[in-house]
Amino acid sequence: MKNRILGKTGQRVSEIGFGAWAIGGTWGEVSMEDAKGALNAALDAGMTFIDTADVYGDGRSEKIIAEVLNERGGDRPFVATKLGRRLSPHVASGYSEKNLNDFVDRSRDNLQTETLDLVQLHCPPTEIYYTPEVFAVMDEMINSGKIRSYGVSVEKVEEGLKALEYPNVSSIQLIYNIFRQRPAELLLHEAKRRDVAIIARVPLASGVLTGKMTADTAFAADDHRTFNRNGEQFDKGETFAGVPYDVALDAVEDIRRLLPGDTSMATFALRWILMNENVSVIIPGSKNKAQSETNAQASALADLSDDTMLALKTLYQNKIAPWVHQRW
């Protein structure tokens, strides 16, 4: 497993991390045994970065992480969590000093740690990026020792660019994958220039970039791939990267023809992201041990050829960009 520097935090972390959304909820049923098996396999494979949030299973994900890390002992990986989405309604006025501190204190309890490594504002309303008072509260939490660093998880490229104006923002988390290539045009370069880490989420477009799904694939009722295809519960871009399912499946068949040898599409798709040196860490999710092991393999995969990279860019421009490029 290769490592990269997590921006101005100075932390060296695995270039492939563990996305802990699936072990929390809204991905269908994941047993406690499978959840812990997925995380243990990721750590065994050399992953040293874990990304979670307080709303993943209403704290289930954070608590599982704490339990596994306590059972393992030894050096603790870098754990990032998020706050804000527990607000109901999720509106800018809810990002008060009290609420932010309450959310952080709850995550500290769930993760059983005095100081959180990284706390990210969890896709807040766009208005928050124009509210410096919120970032001042995060600054104070660093001063008080509750958190070591903070960042933002964004939906839109423009939100990421605005967040870069705040000097203590250490990271930007965003969707970046074969189906969402716009961030590479400007945002990733600007983040690198300011030494801000880039955390790439939804790297497999909710699993469609594994190449294992078909038009007949059934998803559980409590899986966001069933109930959020049109953005019914949260941003549409979080489900299949915002690409209509039939369009995504058609594009996947074009990608399949580009796979070298017996390489799996999942590792191929992750390798594509790693080709951009401005990405600090990728956080694919997994629901079991096997998926974690497959994700880890991408770090050892050979670089993609120039012809392959060009073919994927052309595919994006012709088939995917009309659906997503100007939306996010």
Side-chain angles (χ1 to χ4, degrees):
M1 176 67 68
K2 299 182 181 68
N3 296 318
R4 298 188 181 193
I5 300 298
L6 195 67
K8 64 181 67 171
T9 71
Q11 291 290 317
R12 183 175 293 275
V13 299
S14 57
E15 62 184 6
I16 299 174
F18 182 82
W21 183 10
I23 66 172
T26 64
W27 286 83
E29 183 180 355
V30 179
S31 70
M32 182 63 72
E33 180 182 2
D34 279 344
K36 293 175 72 173
L39 180 52
N40 273 305
L43 296 170
D44 289 343
M47 295 186 196
T48 58
F49 183 95
I50 301 171
D51 177 85
T52 185
D54 58 2
V55 290
Y56 295 165
D58 194 26
R60 180 181 192 249
S61 176
E62 291 181 326
K63 291 175 181 177
I64 290 172
I65 291 166
E67 186 174 340
V68 167
L69 297 186
N70 286 337
E71 289 172 352
R72 291 176 67 95
D75 293 338
R76 185 181 175 93
F78 191 97
V79 181
T81 191
K82 310 183 199 74
L83 59 76
R85 302 299 296 197
R86 298 187 71 242
L87 291 169
S88 183
H90 182 233
V91 293
S93 60
Y95 281 72
S96 65
E97 180 177 6
K98 181 182 186 305
N99 285 341
L100 292 173
N101 275 277
D102 286 350
F103 293 152
V104 162
D105 289 343
R106 183 175 184 268
S107 289
R108 290 163 67 213
D109 288 342
N110 287 343
L111 287 164
Q112 298 179 32
T113 183
E114 285 297 315
T115 305
L116 299 172
D117 293 328
L118 173 67
V119 174
Q120 303 155 91
L121 303 181
H122 197 174
C123 298
T126 301
E127 181 183 342
I128 292 298
Y129 299 97
Y130 297 85
T131 310
E133 294 82 2
V134 169
F135 294 85
V137 172
M138 303 305 292
D139 290 338
E140 181 53 38
M141 280 195 270
I142 291 178
N143 295 336
S144 69
K146 287 187 176 183
I147 66 177
R148 291 189 177 88
S149 57
Y150 69 86
V152 295
S153 182
V154 305
E155 297 289 4
K156 301 177 184 296
V157 164
E158 289 78 11
E159 293 170 342
L161 291 169
K162 183 62 181 177
L164 288 175
E165 296 180 9
Y166 294 95
N168 291 330
V169 166
S170 295
S171 66
I172 293 175
Q173 182 179 139
L174 76 170
I175 298 177
Y176 180 58
N177 59 43
I178 292 172
F179 286 169
R180 292 280 288 273
Q181 299 189 23
R182 187 183 175 205
E185 292 182 352
L186 176 61
L187 178 54
L188 301 193
H189 297 285
E190 283 299 302
K192 184 71 170 182
R193 188 172 69 83
R194 298 174 189 238
D195 201 21
V196 172
I198 289 291
I199 303 167
R201 75 173 184 272
V202 195
L204 299 176
S206 305
V208 73
L209 283 171
T210 65
K212 296 179 179 180
M213 296 177 183
T214 70
D216 298 323
T217 298
F219 302 100
D222 63 346
D223 190 318
H224 73 100
R225 294 171 292 187
T226 294
F227 65 75
N228 194 61
R229 291 196 184 190
N230 297 304
E232 293 91 338
Q233 296 294 320
F234 42 83
D235 193 271
K236 177 181 176 180
E238 301 291 339
T239 302
F240 302 128
V243 182
Y245 190 52
D246 58 337
V247 174
L249 290 177
D250 178 64
V252 160
E253 293 311 307
D254 290 340
I255 296 171
R256 202 181 304 278
R257 291 189 282 271
L258 300 173
L259 298 180
D262 59 354
T263 301
S264 74
M265 189 177 295
T267 53
F268 177 86
L270 296 177
R271 185 72 242 173
W272 180 88
I273 299 172
L274 291 174
M275 293 295 291
N276 194 314
E277 64 180 10
N278 296 330
V279 171
S280 307
V281 60
I282 310 174
I283 50 170
S286 62
K287 299 166 71 172
N288 54 54
K289 178 176 182 285
Q291 290 178 357
S292 291
E293 291 171 343
T294 296
N295 292 339
Q297 291 169 7
S299 185
L301 195 67
D303 286 352
L304 305 186
S305 70
D306 291 344
D307 287 345
T308 296
M309 294 297 289
L310 178 59
L312 291 169
K313 183 176 182 179
T314 301
L315 168 68
Y316 171 76
Q317 292 171 336
N318 293 341
K319 289 192 172 183
I320 303 298
W323 297 99
V324 303
H325 196 79
Q326 299 304 333
R327 292 182 182 272
W328 294 283

